Amino acid sequence: KAGTVLEYDVNAQGQTFPLILKVASIGDEGIVFDYDIAGSMVGKFVNSNANLEKGVSLNWDQPVPGEERKLPDDQTIAIMSRTFLADLKKNKTAKYDGIDLSLKDIKKGEEITSAGKEVDALYAESGDGVTKYWVLNNDRFPILLKVDGLPSGITLSLKEIRN
C-alpha cells in the first residue's frame, strides 16, 4: 500500500549501503517508489503496468540524483513482472535477466523476515545454484526482496518492511 517502506542493504563493487524504497503510489497505473540511497541520493523509480506485465529483466543502471526513472516495457526495477511470477508458480520455472530460474523451497535460515515475522516469499535459483531471487508472493506486485549471485556482483537484501 502507499506509504509502505522497504529497507534494503545493497552491495555493489564491494561497497555496502542502505537503500530505502517508499511506495509513493500503487494502483491500476503501476507502482512508483521514492528512493533514498545512503541518505544522499533521492529520486523515483516508476514501474508502469506495461513494465509489470512485460518485464523480463531488472534495471540495474546506476541512479542519478533527482531522477524519475521510467523504463522500457521489458524492464522492471525493485519488482519482478507479473508474467514472471505467474510462470514461476505455474511451471516451476521462468526466465528473468536472461537466467533460467527454478522454483525451490526456501532453505532453513534463508527465510525473509521483517519485525520477527516471516514474509510470504517465493524463492528461485539458477540451474547452477549461484543466482538466487526471493520475491514477494503477491500476484499484482511481486516486489524483489533479495537477490544474490548476479553476474554483476550486485546483491540486494531486505532488512525491514514498515507500513
Side-chain angles (χ1 to χ4, degrees):
K1 68 180 182 178
T4 298
V5 175
L6 304 150
E7 289 186 27
Y8 296 90
D9 277 336
V10 178
N11 186 297
Q13 300 162 353
Q15 304 258 339
T16 300
F17 52 88
L19 167 66
I20 297 173
L21 298 177
K22 181 178 180 182
V23 178
S25 66
I26 189 169
D28 293 338
E29 300 298 311
I31 185 169
V32 177
F33 296 104
D34 288 333
Y35 70 79
D36 181 332
I37 299 173
S40 63
M41 187 183 309
V42 296
K44 291 186 182 297
F45 293 143
V46 178
N47 290 281
S48 70
N49 253 339
N51 301 120
L52 293 173
E53 295 300 332
K54 301 176 184 175
V56 295
S57 65
L58 287 158
N59 179 288
W60 291 106
D61 294 345
Q62 186 167 335
V64 176
E67 78 175 319
E68 183 171 315
R69 182 172 300 179
K70 295 179 181 171
L71 306 169
D73 288 352
D74 66 345
Q75 294 181 9
T76 57
I77 194 161
I79 193 166
M80 310 298 271
S81 71
R82 294 171 181 149
T83 305
F84 166 81
L85 189 67
D87 287 350
L88 188 64
K89 287 174 147 181
K90 180 181 176 190
N91 304 318
K92 309 294 186 232
T93 63
K95 184 178 265 196
Y96 221 75
D97 290 327
I99 302 168
D100 291 315
L101 300 163
S102 297
L103 183 64
K104 304 273 186 180
D105 291 333
I106 297 175
K107 295 175 184 125
K108 188 81 175 145
E110 293 190 2
E111 302 91 346
I112 304 294
T113 60
S114 177
K117 295 182 181 175
E118 189 171 342
V119 176
D120 184 11
L122 294 176
Y123 169 74
E125 67 181 36
S126 58
D128 60 9
V130 171
T131 305
K132 305 169 184 182
Y133 293 79
W134 289 255
V135 180
L136 184 66
N137 187 12
N138 181 305
D139 292 338
R140 288 200 64 215
F141 300 103
I143 293 171
L144 183 62
L145 301 172
K146 182 175 178 178
V147 65
D148 194 14
L150 289 175
S152 66
I154 296 171
T155 64
L156 178 86
S157 185
L158 182 77
K159 289 176 34 184
E160 186 178 8
I161 301 172
R162 294 191 318 265
N163 291 318

